[in-house]
Amino acid sequence: MVTVAIIGKTNVGKTTLFNAATLLNAEISTYPFTTREPNVGTAYVCDACVCGELGVEDNPLNSTCIDGWRYAPVRILDVPGLIKDAWVGRGLGNRFLSVIGQADALIHVVDASGSIDADGKIAGPGSGNPVQDVMDIENEIEQWITEIVLHNRQLVLREEASTTTEEALAKTLSGIKARTPQVAQALRDSGLEETPFEGWSPEQTLKFSSVLLPLIKPTLIIANKMDLHAAEENIELLMEYYSHGLVAACSAEAELVLRRAERMGLLRYTPGQEKFRMAEDAELTPEQQRALHYVEERVMSKWMRTGIQQALNTLVFKLLKVNMVYPVAEESTYSDNHKNVLPDVHLMPEGATPLDLARDVHTRLAENYILAIDAVTGMRLPKDYTLRHRDVIKIMTQGRRRAR
Ligand SMILES: Nc1nc2c(ncn2[C@@H]2O[C@H](COP(=O)(O)OP(=O)(O)O)[C@@H](O)[C@H]2O)c(=O)[nH]1
Ligand SMILES: [Mg+2]
């Protein structure tokens, strides 16, 4: 399961974003992932469902289809505000940082309206420095990774004796999901390839960590609170400063207002779409009227959308390079063995093969795997085929056991 962590300073809107992202009117009731932990929830990424181009009516099970858009679940974590020196264990720093370690990708929320000071306390709009806020948080995480490397120095050295530096480091950093190719790239990009690990200074270790971070945790910066006037200038500054990364202008509060109103039946709103439509019989309180008017005026008519759903989609599909793949058992009807049409969608990492898909569906399916068929063309796929976005795949297995 793809895991996304929401990070940022206090009061930037992380929890508002978490609440909005985890609220979908067509939530998936059969979805096995449930948790009682606070701050862990299910968010959704979406793209055009293949049901449209295949001309079929679908019966989604592990995902949902709203107006021709397929929404697939991802795990989302709301990491409470990191404070300065979290990496040395200040506050609950280390605990929060280890949550970040579990994530495949990060959403870094920043208050683009500049309404918080350097410590995350509410201040007058325009007084804060969002560019610095992003750097502060990144610095905490880089210091924390550095600390892990320094703390495990002996272990890396021992490991290195029987393998390579990149493998030894990757093994030590496997808890934060670093893999050997990423470590190797970080060694090259930080210019440390030729420097023996044994002689690394703390500064060189920090350099390595800061180059490694974006490789192991693809990050999207959310310039939040764009509904406030003071945000406009800062959004420009953020985009300029982080021109190498992605910055999305968003309003988490507006998204939350719309999803809550949709849940209450007051309007029709499909997350990610550019419009909302009032329900015909909706009776709004003056307060609800004001809130929706504000969203229309300050967000939808100005920016076209709240930006939240696009941000999640961009992070997962573009930065993490995950593909939506539909496994089916009957290629003629695109259904499972119970006549459910296009029941499931799986989020597969870049480079995954049909066998990886089989494994993701069920270990038994992988054990009995023979070959895969492109259900749309009916063609048998080569052994080394890598799955593409929106593939519909039938997996052939041996014996009586069949693909679902
Ligand atoms: N104007 C505006 N306020 C927002 C937005 N998102 C969050 N807020 C407000 O910012 C404050 C802090 O939000 P919260 O989600 O608790 O921040 P967290 O500490 O990062 O979890 C709350 O008063 C929210 O209502 C937004 O998009 N626009
Ligand atoms: Mg919060």
Coordinates of all heavy atoms in Angstrom, one line a residue, residues 297-354:
E297 N -15.9 32.4 -4.3 CA -15.3 33.6 -4.6 C -13.7 33.6 -4.5 O -13.0 34.0 -5.4 CB -15.8 34.6 -3.5 CG -15.3 36.1 -3.7 CD -16.4 36.8 -4.5 OE1 -17.1 36.2 -5.3 OE2 -16.6 38.0 -4.2
R298 N -13.2 33.0 -3.4 CA -11.8 33.1 -3.2 C -11.0 32.0 -3.7 O -9.7 32.0 -3.8 CB -11.5 33.2 -1.6 CG -12.0 34.5 -1.0 CD -11.2 35.7 -1.4 NE -9.7 35.5 -1.4 CZ -8.9 36.2 -2.2 NH1 -9.3 37.0 -3.1 NH2 -7.6 35.9 -2.1
V299 N -11.6 30.9 -4.1 CA -10.9 29.7 -4.5 C -11.3 29.2 -5.9 O -10.5 29.3 -6.9 CB -11.0 28.5 -3.5 CG1 -10.3 27.3 -4.0 CG2 -10.5 28.9 -2.1
M300 N -12.5 28.8 -6.1 CA -13.0 28.2 -7.3 C -12.9 29.2 -8.5 O -12.4 28.8 -9.6 CB -14.3 27.6 -7.2 CG -14.4 26.5 -6.1 SD -13.2 25.2 -6.2 CE -14.1 23.9 -7.0
S301 N -13.4 30.4 -8.3 CA -13.5 31.2 -9.5 C -12.1 31.8 -9.8 O -11.8 32.3 -10.9 CB -14.5 32.3 -9.3 OG -14.2 33.1 -8.2
K302 N -11.2 31.8 -8.8 CA -9.9 32.4 -8.9 C -8.9 31.4 -9.4 O -8.1 31.6 -10.3 CB -9.5 33.0 -7.6 CG -8.4 34.0 -7.6 CD -8.3 34.7 -6.3 CE -6.9 35.3 -6.0 NZ -6.3 36.0 -7.1
W303 N -8.9 30.3 -8.7 CA -7.8 29.2 -8.9 C -8.4 28.0 -9.7 O -7.7 27.1 -9.9 CB -7.2 28.8 -7.6 CG -6.6 29.9 -6.8 CD1 -7.2 30.7 -5.9 CD2 -5.2 30.3 -6.8 NE1 -6.3 31.5 -5.4 CE2 -5.0 31.3 -5.9 CE3 -4.1 29.8 -7.6 CZ2 -3.8 31.9 -5.7 CZ3 -2.9 30.4 -7.3 CH2 -2.7 31.5 -6.4
M304 N -9.7 28.0 -9.9 CA -10.4 26.9 -10.6 C -10.6 25.7 -9.7 O -11.6 24.9 -9.9 CB -9.7 26.4 -11.9 CG -9.3 27.5 -12.9 SD -10.8 28.4 -13.4 CE -11.6 27.1 -14.4
R305 N -9.8 25.4 -8.7 CA -10.0 24.2 -7.9 C -9.2 24.4 -6.6 O -8.5 25.4 -6.4 CB -9.4 23.0 -8.6 CG -8.0 23.3 -9.2 CD -7.4 22.1 -9.8 NE -7.8 21.9 -11.2 CZ -7.0 21.5 -12.1 NH1 -5.7 21.2 -11.9 NH2 -7.5 21.3 -13.4
T306 N -9.5 23.5 -5.6 CA -8.9 23.7 -4.3 C -7.4 23.2 -4.4 O -6.6 23.5 -3.5 CB -9.6 22.9 -3.2 OG1 -9.4 21.5 -3.5 CG2 -11.1 23.2 -3.3
G307 N -7.1 22.3 -5.4 CA -5.8 21.8 -5.6 C -5.4 20.6 -4.8 O -4.4 20.0 -5.1
I308 N -6.3 20.2 -3.9 CA -5.9 19.0 -3.0 C -5.8 17.7 -3.8 O -4.9 17.0 -3.7 CB -6.9 18.9 -1.8 CG1 -6.8 20.2 -0.9 CG2 -6.6 17.7 -1.0 CD1 -5.5 20.5 -0.3
Q309 N -6.9 17.4 -4.5 CA -6.9 16.1 -5.2 C -5.8 16.1 -6.3 O -5.1 15.1 -6.4 CB -8.3 15.9 -5.9 CG -8.5 14.5 -6.5 CD -8.3 13.4 -5.4 OE1 -9.1 13.4 -4.5 NE2 -7.4 12.5 -5.6
Q310 N -5.6 17.2 -7.0 CA -4.5 17.2 -8.0 C -3.2 17.0 -7.3 O -2.3 16.4 -7.9 CB -4.5 18.5 -8.8 CG -5.5 18.7 -9.8 CD -6.9 19.0 -9.2 OE1 -7.0 19.4 -8.1 NE2 -7.9 18.8 -10.0
A311 N -3.0 17.6 -6.1 CA -1.7 17.4 -5.4 C -1.5 15.9 -5.1 O -0.4 15.4 -5.4 CB -1.7 18.3 -4.2
L312 N -2.5 15.3 -4.6 CA -2.3 13.8 -4.3 C -2.0 13.0 -5.5 O -1.2 12.2 -5.6 CB -3.6 13.3 -3.6 CG -3.8 13.6 -2.2 CD1 -5.2 13.4 -1.7 CD2 -2.9 12.7 -1.3
N313 N -2.8 13.3 -6.6 CA -2.6 12.6 -7.9 C -1.2 12.9 -8.4 O -0.5 11.9 -8.9 CB -3.6 13.1 -8.9 CG -5.0 12.7 -8.6 OD1 -5.2 11.9 -7.7 ND2 -5.9 13.3 -9.3
T314 N -0.7 14.1 -8.4 CA 0.6 14.4 -8.9 C 1.7 13.7 -8.1 O 2.6 13.1 -8.7 CB 0.8 16.0 -8.8 OG1 -0.2 16.6 -9.5 CG2 2.2 16.3 -9.4
L315 N 1.5 13.7 -6.8 CA 2.5 13.1 -6.0 C 2.7 11.6 -6.3 O 3.7 11.1 -6.5 CB 2.2 13.3 -4.5 CG 3.1 12.7 -3.5 CD1 4.5 13.4 -3.6 CD2 2.6 12.7 -2.1
V316 N 1.5 10.9 -6.4 CA 1.5 9.5 -6.5 C 1.8 9.1 -8.0 O 2.7 8.2 -8.3 CB 0.2 8.8 -6.0 CG1 0.1 7.4 -6.4 CG2 0.1 9.0 -4.5
F317 N 1.2 9.7 -9.0 CA 1.4 9.3 -10.3 C 2.6 9.9 -11.0 O 3.3 9.2 -11.8 CB 0.1 9.7 -11.2 CG -1.1 8.9 -10.8 CD1 -2.3 9.6 -10.6 CD2 -1.1 7.6 -10.5 CE1 -3.4 9.0 -10.2 CE2 -2.2 6.9 -10.1 CZ -3.4 7.6 -9.9
K318 N 2.9 11.2 -10.7 CA 4.0 11.8 -11.4 C 5.4 11.6 -10.6 O 6.4 11.3 -11.2 CB 3.8 13.3 -11.6 CG 2.5 13.6 -12.5 CD 3.0 13.9 -13.9 CE 1.8 13.8 -14.9 NZ 0.7 14.6 -14.6
L319 N 5.3 11.9 -9.3 CA 6.6 11.9 -8.6 C 7.0 10.5 -8.2 O 8.1 10.1 -8.3 CB 6.5 12.8 -7.3 CG 6.4 14.3 -7.7 CD1 6.4 15.1 -6.4 CD2 7.5 14.8 -8.5
L320 N 6.0 9.7 -7.6 CA 6.3 8.4 -7.2 C 6.3 7.4 -8.5 O 6.7 6.3 -8.4 CB 5.3 7.9 -6.2 CG 5.6 7.7 -4.8 CD1 4.5 7.0 -4.0 CD2 6.9 6.9 -4.6
K321 N 5.7 7.9 -9.5 CA 5.6 7.1 -10.8 C 4.9 5.8 -10.6 O 5.3 4.7 -11.1 CB 7.0 6.9 -11.4 CG 7.7 8.2 -11.7 CD 8.9 7.9 -12.6 CE 9.6 9.2 -13.0 NZ 10.5 9.6 -12.0
V322 N 3.8 5.8 -9.9 CA 2.9 4.7 -9.7 C 1.9 4.5 -10.8 O 1.4 5.6 -11.3 CB 2.3 4.8 -8.3 CG1 1.0 4.0 -8.2 CG2 3.3 4.4 -7.2
N323 N 1.6 3.3 -11.2 CA 0.6 3.1 -12.3 C -0.6 2.4 -11.7 O -0.6 1.5 -10.8 CB 1.2 2.2 -13.4 CG 2.3 2.9 -14.1 OD1 2.2 4.1 -14.5 ND2 3.4 2.2 -14.2
M324 N -1.8 2.8 -12.3 CA -3.0 2.1 -11.9 C -3.2 0.9 -12.9 O -3.2 1.1 -14.1 CB -4.2 3.1 -12.2 CG -4.7 3.9 -11.0 SD -6.2 4.8 -11.6 CE -6.7 5.4 -10.0
V325 N -3.3 -0.3 -12.3 CA -3.5 -1.5 -13.2 C -4.7 -2.3 -12.7 O -4.9 -2.4 -11.5 CB -2.2 -2.3 -13.1 CG1 -2.3 -3.5 -14.0 CG2 -1.0 -1.5 -13.5
Y326 N -5.5 -2.7 -13.7 CA -6.7 -3.5 -13.4 C -6.6 -4.9 -13.6 O -6.5 -5.3 -14.8 CB -7.9 -2.9 -14.2 CG -8.2 -1.5 -14.1 CD1 -7.4 -0.5 -14.6 CD2 -9.4 -1.1 -13.5 CE1 -7.7 0.9 -14.5 CE2 -9.7 0.3 -13.4 CZ -8.8 1.3 -13.9 OH -9.2 2.6 -13.8
P327 N -6.5 -5.8 -12.6 CA -6.4 -7.2 -12.9 C -7.8 -7.8 -13.1 O -8.8 -7.4 -12.4 CB -5.8 -7.8 -11.6 CG -6.1 -6.8 -10.5 CD -6.3 -5.5 -11.2
V328 N -8.0 -8.7 -14.1 CA -9.3 -9.3 -14.3 C -9.1 -10.8 -14.5 O -8.0 -11.2 -14.8 CB -10.1 -8.7 -15.5 CG1 -10.4 -7.2 -15.3 CG2 -9.2 -8.8 -16.8
A329 N -10.2 -11.5 -14.4 CA -10.2 -13.0 -14.6 C -10.7 -13.4 -15.9 O -10.3 -14.4 -16.5 CB -10.9 -13.7 -13.5
E330 N -11.7 -12.6 -16.4 CA -12.3 -12.9 -17.7 C -12.0 -11.7 -18.7 O -12.4 -10.6 -18.5 CB -13.8 -13.0 -17.6 CG -14.3 -14.0 -16.6 CD -14.1 -15.5 -17.0 OE1 -13.9 -15.7 -18.3 OE2 -14.1 -16.4 -16.2
E331 N -11.2 -12.0 -19.7 CA -10.8 -10.9 -20.6 C -11.9 -10.4 -21.5 O -11.9 -9.2 -21.9 CB -9.5 -11.2 -21.4 CG -9.7 -12.2 -22.5 CD -9.4 -13.6 -22.1 OE1 -9.8 -14.0 -21.0 OE2 -8.7 -14.3 -22.9
S332 N -12.9 -11.2 -21.7 CA -14.0 -10.8 -22.6 C -14.9 -9.8 -22.0 O -15.4 -8.9 -22.6 CB -14.7 -12.0 -23.2 OG -15.2 -12.8 -22.1
T333 N -15.1 -10.0 -20.7 CA -16.0 -9.1 -19.9 C -15.3 -8.2 -18.9 O -16.0 -7.4 -18.3 CB -17.0 -10.0 -19.1 OG1 -16.3 -10.9 -18.3 CG2 -18.0 -10.8 -20.1
Y334 N -14.0 -8.3 -18.9 CA -13.2 -7.5 -17.9 C -13.7 -7.7 -16.5 O -13.7 -6.8 -15.7 CB -13.2 -6.0 -18.2 CG -13.0 -5.7 -19.7 CD1 -14.0 -5.1 -20.5 CD2 -11.8 -6.0 -20.3 CE1 -13.7 -4.8 -21.8 CE2 -11.5 -5.7 -21.6 CZ -12.5 -5.2 -22.4 OH -12.3 -4.9 -23.7
S335 N -14.1 -8.9 -16.1 CA -14.7 -9.1 -14.8 C -13.9 -10.2 -14.0 O -13.0 -10.9 -14.5 CB -16.1 -9.6 -15.0 OG -16.1 -10.8 -15.7
D336 N -14.2 -10.2 -12.7 CA -13.7 -11.3 -11.9 C -14.5 -12.5 -12.0 O -15.4 -12.6 -12.9 CB -13.6 -10.8 -10.4 CG -14.9 -10.5 -9.8 OD1 -16.0 -10.8 -10.4 OD2 -14.9 -10.0 -8.7
N337 N -14.3 -13.6 -11.2 CA -15.1 -14.8 -11.3 C -16.5 -14.7 -10.8 O -17.3 -15.6 -10.8 CB -14.3 -15.9 -10.6 CG -13.1 -16.3 -11.3 OD1 -13.1 -16.3 -12.6 ND2 -12.0 -16.7 -10.6
H338 N -16.8 -13.5 -10.2 CA -18.2 -13.3 -9.7 C -18.9 -12.3 -10.5 O -19.8 -11.6 -10.0 CB -18.1 -12.9 -8.2 CG -17.4 -13.9 -7.4 ND1 -17.9 -15.1 -7.0 CD2 -16.1 -13.9 -6.9 CE1 -16.9 -15.8 -6.4 NE2 -15.8 -15.0 -6.3
K339 N -18.5 -12.1 -11.8 CA -19.1 -11.2 -12.7 C -19.0 -9.7 -12.3 O -19.8 -8.9 -12.8 CB -20.6 -11.5 -12.9 CG -20.8 -12.9 -13.5 CD -22.1 -13.0 -14.2 CE -22.2 -14.2 -15.2 NZ -21.8 -15.5 -14.6
N340 N -18.1 -9.4 -11.4 CA -17.9 -8.0 -11.1 C -17.0 -7.4 -12.2 O -15.8 -7.9 -12.4 CB -17.2 -7.8 -9.7 CG -18.1 -8.2 -8.6 OD1 -19.2 -7.8 -8.5 ND2 -17.6 -9.2 -7.8
V341 N -17.4 -6.4 -12.9 CA -16.6 -5.8 -14.0 C -15.6 -4.8 -13.4 O -16.0 -4.0 -12.5 CB -17.6 -5.1 -14.9 CG1 -16.8 -4.4 -16.0 CG2 -18.6 -6.1 -15.5
L342 N -14.4 -4.9 -13.8 CA -13.3 -4.1 -13.4 C -13.3 -3.9 -11.9 O -13.4 -2.7 -11.4 CB -13.3 -2.7 -14.1 CG -13.1 -2.8 -15.6 CD1 -13.4 -1.4 -16.2 CD2 -11.7 -3.2 -16.0
P343 N -13.3 -5.0 -11.1 CA -13.5 -4.9 -9.7 C -12.4 -4.1 -8.9 O -12.7 -3.3 -8.0 CB -13.6 -6.3 -9.2 CG -12.8 -7.1 -10.2 CD -13.1 -6.4 -11.5
D344 N -11.2 -4.4 -9.3 CA -10.1 -3.8 -8.5 C -9.1 -3.0 -9.4 O -8.9 -3.3 -10.6 CB -9.3 -5.0 -7.9 CG -10.1 -5.7 -6.9 OD1 -11.1 -5.1 -6.4 OD2 -9.7 -6.8 -6.5
V345 N -8.5 -2.1 -8.7 CA -7.3 -1.4 -9.3 C -6.2 -1.5 -8.4 O -6.4 -1.4 -7.2 CB -7.7 0.0 -9.7 CG1 -7.9 0.9 -8.5 CG2 -6.7 0.6 -10.6
H346 N -5.0 -1.8 -8.9 CA -3.8 -1.9 -8.0 C -2.8 -0.8 -8.4 O -2.6 -0.5 -9.6 CB -3.1 -3.3 -8.2 CG -3.9 -4.4 -7.5 ND1 -3.4 -5.0 -6.4 CD2 -5.1 -4.9 -7.8 CE1 -4.3 -5.9 -6.0 NE2 -5.4 -5.8 -6.8
L347 N -2.2 -0.2 -7.4 CA -1.2 0.9 -7.6 C 0.1 0.2 -7.6 O 0.7 -0.2 -6.6 CB -1.3 1.9 -6.5 CG -2.7 2.7 -6.5 CD1 -2.7 3.7 -5.3 CD2 -2.9 3.5 -7.7
M348 N 0.7 0.1 -8.8 CA 1.9 -0.6 -9.0 C 3.1 0.3 -9.3 O 3.0 1.3 -10.0 CB 1.8 -1.6 -10.2 CG 0.7 -2.6 -10.0 SD 0.8 -3.7 -8.5 CE 2.4 -4.5 -8.8
P349 N 4.3 0.1 -8.6 CA 5.4 0.9 -8.8 C 5.9 0.8 -10.2 O 5.7 -0.2 -10.9 CB 6.4 0.4 -7.8 CG 6.0 -0.9 -7.5 CD 4.5 -1.0 -7.7
E350 N 6.7 1.9 -10.6 CA 7.3 1.9 -11.9 C 8.2 0.6 -12.1 O 8.9 0.2 -11.2 CB 8.2 3.1 -12.0 CG 8.8 3.4 -13.4 CD 9.8 4.6 -13.3 OE1 10.4 4.8 -12.2 OE2 9.9 5.2 -14.3
G351 N 8.1 0.0 -13.3 CA 9.0 -1.2 -13.5 C 8.4 -2.5 -13.1 O 9.0 -3.5 -13.3
A352 N 7.2 -2.5 -12.4 CA 6.6 -3.7 -11.9 C 6.1 -4.5 -13.1 O 5.7 -4.0 -14.2 CB 5.4 -3.4 -11.0
T353 N 6.2 -5.9 -13.0 CA 5.8 -6.8 -14.1 C 4.4 -7.4 -13.7 O 3.9 -7.3 -12.6 CB 6.8 -7.9 -14.2 OG1 6.8 -8.7 -12.9 CG2 8.2 -7.4 -14.4
P354 N 3.8 -8.2 -14.7 CA 2.6 -8.9 -14.4 C 2.7 -9.8 -13.2 O 1.8 -10.0 -12.4 CB 2.3 -9.6 -15.7 CG 2.9 -8.8 -16.7 CD 4.1 -8.3 -16.1

